[in-house]
Amino acid sequence: MKIVAKKKLWKYLFWLGPFLIAVGLTVGLVSEQWGLIPLAFLITGIIISGLGIIWQSYQSNWWNRRSTQAGTNALVATLAVLAILGLINFLGTRYHLRADLTEAQLFTLAPQSRELVRVLPQPVKVWVFDINQNPQDRELLENYQRQSSKFKYEYIDPQARPGLAEKFGVKDYGEVYLESGDKRQLVQTVNENERLSEIRLTSRLQQLTNSTTAKVYLLQGHGERQLSAGKGAISQAVQGLGDKNFTTSPLNLGETSKVPQDAAVVIVAGPKRGLFEGEVKALQEYLNRGGNLLLMIDPNTDPKLNSLLQEWGVRLDNRLAVDVSGESVVGLGPAAPLVTEYGQHPITKDFGNGNSFYPIARPLEITSVPGVQATPLLRTKPYPNSWAESDLQSEKLEFNADKDLKGPLTLGVALTRKQTPKSTSTPQAAPTPSPLPSPTTQSKTSPTSPAPSASPTPSSQTATESRLVVLGNSDFATDGLFQQQLNGDVFLNSVTWLSQQDQQPLSIRPKEPKNRRITLTNTQANLLILSSLLLLPLIGFAIAVIIWWKRR
């Protein structure tokens, strides 16, 4: 009787364990606080249940049964699988591994964007004032956020939080703002037809986090490209410079006769008339003191810069660059060379085999000059696809071996030259005046011995670097063409490199999906329809009949 009573007692105690576990879970889940009370119930219930299982197995020799061993193995395997799945989920939460299998990497941030976000000096936040959360925009913001914990974003309903909308000056749904500290800046307005742009977001992010600005001057007065919107203007290029935190101003050297000291870069964009000798000298002096110059010179023009270019080993070829390989692709004729080959240089390092084109361009001839390092940037395809045409009046462009030059042609070059400023002398304090020596005394003075009153102390010399980019075309940067392919990147990357601001990321190329459409003729389309709707089903039916006949 005592043994039966003990068994009943352990049986009751065993059921008390699961009861206490259920109580602990209920208390914790309802109160959403896992304090002392729910933990006490859980621990007590687990201990009692464990003791009950051990006692029951001891009394019934439960562990030695074959069914127990099989069940235990199944339980251990199940727990192992759950543990592995939990570990995988934990690692997936902590570490993100994503693969973008699109050829143009449409869902991956550009290297410039990733590097900028990873080195953010302070937290930034993107505010999207819109009711609808577009999946494409949200995915782009998630990509940014994965790069750094300092990058956050949030969607806001302007009507639900009017105070915050008023703080940012929101006027319409879809406005996207960037905030860092006490700085706020409008990125763009998104809608059904215009999604959030990585190019704009990275540009505004750079402006907001970078307090330094560089001054770019654009030479005027010789028929250069117009800076404001108009036919043949470069207003989009100027806007692109503003997006990259450059400030731009026109420069007329006929009025100032000297390049301003704060000029980080001077741009000469397509002059139609020659510069005065004093203006050329001013540009040479600017380069000699460590300046940076971008020259975009079109064919059939003589800007009178030969003396400047000769110092750098560059000569402007008067012939026209012709490229018949991209005529059907670009649609601008053979006088718009299509470039897919770029030099190994920071300006073009990320271009790969991308396209850029230069309507009405002139080749450049590069010769070696001591102290100048030249890197060709843009090269056309080899002959017979491209050549330099000397007969510019002919309607039919044909290669003439006597006058024309075989490709590949160089349409752009980047050059650097170290500049060591001349040593300056700091005169020492003059001694007490003494009677001037007689002519006889002066003639006996050693020419290598300086006079005591004029002993100079050379100041320290610091070598600076001048940079020059010469392009045989300016049309590629005009409104309409600037945003095509890599044209805008060639211009913006050139200015960024010239400005010698290493912290400035280079331009971000827009990502465009490859055109995979197949154009079929009517005959091909009809053949495809017949083969898919009639021929293939008949073949399948015939095979089925043959198999059935053999198995009869």
Side-chain angles (χ1 to χ4, degrees), residues 62-74:
W62 184 68
W63 286 106
N64 294 328
R65 295 178 183 177
R66 181 174 297 179
S67 60
T68 303
Q69 294 177 356
T72 303
N73 292 334

Side-chain angles (χ1 to χ4, degrees), residues 198-255:
E198 177 187 352
I199 298 176
R200 293 187 182 181
L201 183 54
T202 297
S203 297
R204 297 298 187 271
L205 185 62
Q206 180 187 350
Q207 292 180 16
L208 202 65
T209 57
N210 184 15
S211 58
T212 61
T213 58
K215 193 66 175 288
V216 175
Y217 286 92
L218 295 102
L219 191 66
Q220 298 288 283
H222 317 89
E224 288 86 355
R225 296 289 178 179
Q226 181 179 323
L227 305 185
S228 57
K231 184 178 180 181
I234 56 172
S235 63
Q236 292 179 343
V238 173
Q239 179 62 42
L241 292 175
D243 292 341
K244 292 184 69 62
N245 219 24
F246 290 103
T247 57
T248 58
S249 296
L251 172 64
N252 193 326
L253 288 176
E255 298 175 352

Side-chain angles (χ1 to χ4, degrees), residues 90-97:
F90 172 75
L91 294 176
T93 305
R94 292 288 300 272
Y95 307 99
H96 298 280
L97 178 61

Side-chain angles (χ1 to χ4, degrees), residues 363-405:
L364 307 175
E365 181 181 326
I366 314 300
T367 57
S368 178
V369 173
V372 176
Q373 182 179 357
T375 304
L377 297 177
L378 314 170
R379 293 181 67 86
T380 65
K381 296 176 177 60
Y383 178 82
N385 289 323
S386 73
W387 69 88
E389 176 65 45
S390 58
D391 188 2
L392 305 183
Q393 304 301 324
S394 176
E395 296 182 359
K396 187 177 181 180
L397 299 175
E398 293 181 345
F399 178 75
N400 190 323
D402 298 333
K403 299 182 294 184
D404 299 338
L405 177 66

Side-chain angles (χ1 to χ4, degrees), residues 102-106 353-355 485 511-517:
T102 58
E103 183 177 359
Q105 297 292 289
L106 298 175
N353 295 324
N355 298 323
Q485 301 296 324
K511 300 174 182 178
E512 300 177 356
K514 288 286 185 179
N515 185 1
R516 299 297 186 187
R517 290 177 294 180

